[in-house]
Amino acid sequence: MLDGETLKALYEKHCKHGFKYSYGTAGFRYKADILDTVMFTTGVLAGLRSLHLSGQTVGVMITASHNPPEDNGVKIVEPRGEMLEQSWEKHATQLANCASESYASFATNLEELVKTLKIDTNRSGGIAVARDSRESGPRLLEAFEAGVQAFPTLRIRDYGILTTPQLHFLTSKTNEFPQNVEKDEKLYYNEFLSAWDEITTISGIEALPFELKIDAANGIGGPKISAMLSQRQVFKNAYEVSNADWQNYAALNYCCGADFVKTNQKLPHGIAVGETFNARRINCSFDGDADRIVFYYNDPQGQFKLLDGDKMATLFAKFFQQLLRSSGLQKDVEMGVVQTAYANGSSANYLEQVLGVSVKCTSTGVKHLHHEAVKFDIGIYFEANGHGTVVFSSKFVELLNSKLATDSQSSPESYNSLKLLSVFTRLINQTVGDALSDMLAVLAVLLVLQWTPQKWDEEYTDLPNRLIKVVVPDRTLFKTTNAERQLESPANLQQEIDALVSKYDNARSFVRASGTEDAVRVYAEAASREQADELAAMVGKLVENC
């Protein structure tokens, strides 16, 4: 570790005093102008994490995802591409807040962490870092790298501007592959495009029967999806990327992107569905760092129809259930879907009552969903906002490999189902929700099933719902229980919400503090659009008056 004087000089250059930080559902996320201190301490903590894990490479992503351009944030990625071990979140928060007090407090806390965690600071280790396209990124990267310098034995691989899922993927591959394999974007594209190629070969698909429109939220997902799809002839002249002005900092997520479409339930700027019904037209929106995706289309009456994370979860559940049955594995494989309180009530009913699939509910945040999903052989998790993925257990992959090796003489349908299951374990980015990978997976499912977007949507009908954001002086006052479906505080607010809900048909509503913004989110659903909108507005008023 650096000597005290050198470390103090770095601290004084990058750290400011007087702000209290908290590691949230997606790391630290605030206005960019108050992030220098936490970027510096995150560099220190990421170094500690790598050294604690015997020198494995730890990932760090500088991003604020769907937040407005003036925000930014940072999160630490585990060696296998997963979110930071939850027990370390308190270390990240404490180190940042000590640094916000004084150098003496920071230095003391750092020394105690090294001692308590029994970290050998002379060990070598690695950090993989990337950032999204925000204007504040280069400055915050400099503060982060200064923090990493606390441990001279650490090497840093700066990937520049990437999507968040690309950073997760490359962190995982850095620890998985031998040193002579180059870990870069080419590896990422090859991984998922080669799986796509196998699916099209197995299914006899020669052309994309969709007119695909992609809203890239003016984020880095725009050039990355173009770089990916341009490598395959099947996509030539079959897709168009809108809102791809990623170098216009002020345009990021402005009136576009997955969060805008989901929250407002309307088209983003830059995409016009058109007045004429087109059964083969499908649209999708990424968010600013391309870890979320939602789909949408226009129905025969020209109405906007949203296909969100719930619709994706149910699509994958039905598809994999069919493949398990046709391959004869349905009795050997446990599949489940993990949702949050934001999941539409109709989706849970469809999964449990129509498909007979197990459904679990967790707190908001993919770290919570991922933890539950890995308990299944096939664990499907998507937040309603479009952030999610599918994870496959090692037991399931071994079973597939064994069956493929011994069942080559079985029926063509059964064998093809086994092959498709195997390929989907590689088409889907299992480390984290990935707009690019999820988009390919959804398209592949629709192609294999020969479904139109309308057929997909008609599997079940969403209850009308509304999600609104209410700015409050102190979001920490809003504490929840029962997987965030009920409030513990402020006192009596839950009873007031329950009284409002009882006045509407087939209704429910809940309130929770945002994990990424200084606001409280209010969700409501009811039997009609008018009732859902009215209930959300009235609950929002209760929150404002707290």
Side-chain angles (χ1 to χ4, degrees), residues 247-377:
Q247 293 175 306
N248 180 359
Y249 304 125
L252 180 67
N253 294 318
Y254 181 71
C255 292
C256 59
D259 189 63
F260 175 87
V261 172
K262 171 61 179 175
T263 301
N264 296 283
Q265 299 190 30
K266 67 179 183 180
L267 293 172
H269 288 197
I271 288 188
V273 168
E275 297 178 359
T276 304
F277 173 61
N278 181 351
R280 290 296 177 178
R281 169 79 179 269
I282 188 167
N283 313 277
C284 63
S285 287
F286 301 165
D287 64 340
D289 66 337
D291 63 0
R292 295 184 185 185
I293 184 172
V294 295
F295 293 82
Y296 42 97
Y297 72 104
N298 66 316
D299 68 12
Q301 289 72 45
Q303 296 296 310
F304 169 82
K305 304 289 285 186
L306 179 66
L307 298 159
D308 60 8
D310 297 338
K311 290 286 186 176
M312 284 187 278
T314 54
L315 177 70
F316 286 126
K318 183 177 182 70
F319 179 65
F320 289 129
Q321 185 180 71
Q322 289 185 359
L323 291 182
L324 290 173
R325 284 174 177 165
S326 59
S327 64
L329 294 180
Q330 70 271 27
K331 294 181 180 179
D332 303 312
V333 175
E334 184 181 10
M335 182 174 71
V337 176
V338 187
Q339 298 183 320
T340 73
Y342 288 111
N344 194 278
S346 291
S347 68
N349 290 339
Y350 171 80
L351 288 164
E352 293 178 319
Q353 298 175 17
V354 178
L355 298 185
V357 173
S358 176
V359 177
K360 301 292 184 182
C361 186
T362 72
S363 298
T364 303
V366 292
K367 64 184 180 184
H368 301 299
L369 287 97
H370 190 94
H371 179 74
E372 285 298 317
V374 296
K375 297 177 181 178
F376 296 99
D377 294 315

Side-chain angles (χ1 to χ4, degrees), residues 117-132:
L117 298 171
K118 299 178 181 179
I119 294 174
D120 179 3
T121 58
N122 293 315
R123 181 191 293 273
S124 61
I127 305 292
V129 62
R131 55 188 173 87
D132 69 16

Side-chain angles (χ1 to χ4, degrees), residues 49-62:
R49 186 64 179 158
S50 175
L51 298 176
H52 181 72
L53 296 174
S54 303
Q56 292 185 80
T57 295
V58 167
V60 172
M61 187 68 197
I62 302 171

